[in-house]
């Protein structure tokens, strides 16, 4: 027990602020408690879940969440982050510095500034439509016609830097002998 004594405060905080709210959410998921200040609650079993999975709005929200997760986090951030990290391994010092600076700048911008920049990019009179008009391609109001695309792009833009930094650190840890052996093997 003395070995785990230093962990006791952290474990207590995790139980209070993480496990406690999760357990409470699981408990109230099976009741008819409402956020409007209802005084009494009663156990309703799986009725909440049955109603949710029959609701088209809920199923649409689940679908959009899956699309957002796959498009922005799995495909966008990870793929682009790995590609940038791999390209930066082979690039010259000025190119690495410029690319790293541009990508990390998107990551450290305050949320309000990033939100305004992306709004200016996607709005009807925005930068994206100006480029599409210049290329003689059809433009549209992206924030209303394809909002999941705009939100996914924003998340990729904001999160790629973290993926790039993680992958760069991992690629830097690969011994030179392994890289040289792979080049010799083709």
């Amino acid at each position: 027990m003395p070995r785990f004594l230093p962990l006791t405060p952290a474990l207590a905080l995790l139980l209070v602020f993480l496990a406690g709210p999760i357990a409470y959410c699981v408990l109230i998921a099976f009741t008819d408690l409402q956020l409007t200040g209802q005084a009494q609650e009663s156990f309703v079993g799986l009725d909440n879940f049955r109603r949710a999975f029959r609701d088209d709005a809920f199923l649409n929200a689940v679908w959009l969440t899956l699309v957002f997760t796959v498009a922005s986090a799995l495909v966008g951030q990870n793929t682009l982050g790995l590609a940038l990290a791999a390209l930066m391994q082979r690039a010259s010092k000025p190119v690495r510095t410029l690319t790293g600076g541009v990508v990390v700048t998107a990551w450290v911008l305050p949320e309000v500034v990033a939100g305004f920049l992306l709004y200016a990019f996607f709005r009807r009179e925005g930068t994206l439509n100006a480029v599409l008009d210049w290329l003689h391609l059809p433009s549209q109001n992206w924030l209303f016609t394809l909002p999941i695309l705009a939100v996914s792009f924003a998340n990729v833009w904001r999160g790629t830097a973290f993926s790039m930094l993680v992958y760069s650190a991992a690629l830097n840890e690969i011994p030179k002998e392994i890289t040289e052996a792979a080049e010799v093997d083709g």
Side-chain angles (χ1 to χ4, degrees):
M1 181 62 183
R3 281 182 20 188
F4 298 108
L5 192 60
L7 295 176
T8 306
L11 289 175
L13 289 173
L14 281 173
L15 284 173
V16 170
F17 292 109
L18 188 65
I22 289 172
Y24 180 69
C25 286
V26 169
L27 175 70
I28 65 171
F30 297 100
T31 68
D32 63 351
L33 183 66
Q34 298 174 6
L35 296 176
T36 57
Q38 174 183 340
Q40 292 292 325
E41 63 186 64
S42 60
F43 182 78
V44 293
L46 296 174
D47 287 344
N48 292 334
F49 297 98
R50 285 189 199 104
R51 197 168 6 138
F53 285 108
R54 288 186 193 127
D55 186 7
D56 290 337
F58 175 77
L59 295 175
N60 185 46
V62 170
W63 169 249
L64 289 176
T65 301
L66 289 173
V67 167
F68 172 77
T69 302
V70 169
S72 70
L74 296 179
V75 175
Q77 287 180 15
N78 280 309
T79 304
L80 188 57
L82 180 58
L84 285 170
L87 289 172
M88 287 179 61
Q89 291 291 317
R90 296 181 179 10
S92 64
K93 177 91 168 131
V95 172
R96 277 198 314 264
T97 304
L98 180 67
T99 304
V102 168
V103 173
V104 171
T105 299
W107 188 36
V108 298
L109 275 177
E111 295 292 327
V112 173
V113 175
F116 179 75
L117 287 172
L118 287 163
Y119 170 74
F121 182 74
F122 282 115
R123 69 188 186 117
R124 181 78 179 124
E125 303 82 20
T127 310
L128 178 59
N129 282 334
V131 170
L132 291 174
D133 289 341
W134 183 74
L135 295 172
H136 303 291
L137 294 171
S139 62
Q140 58 185 323
N141 193 344
W142 298 95
L143 295 173
F144 291 102
T145 57
L146 287 170
I148 192 68
L149 177 71
V151 172
S152 296
F153 177 82
N155 194 45
V156 168
W157 180 62
R158 292 286 295 185
T160 297
F162 181 74
S163 296
M164 182 192 74
L165 292 172
V166 170
Y167 285 126
S168 290
L171 289 172
N172 285 334
E173 291 299 314
I174 297 174
K176 293 289 184 199
E177 299 84 33
I178 293 176
T179 306
E180 292 168 359
E183 287 175 1
V184 168
D185 290 341

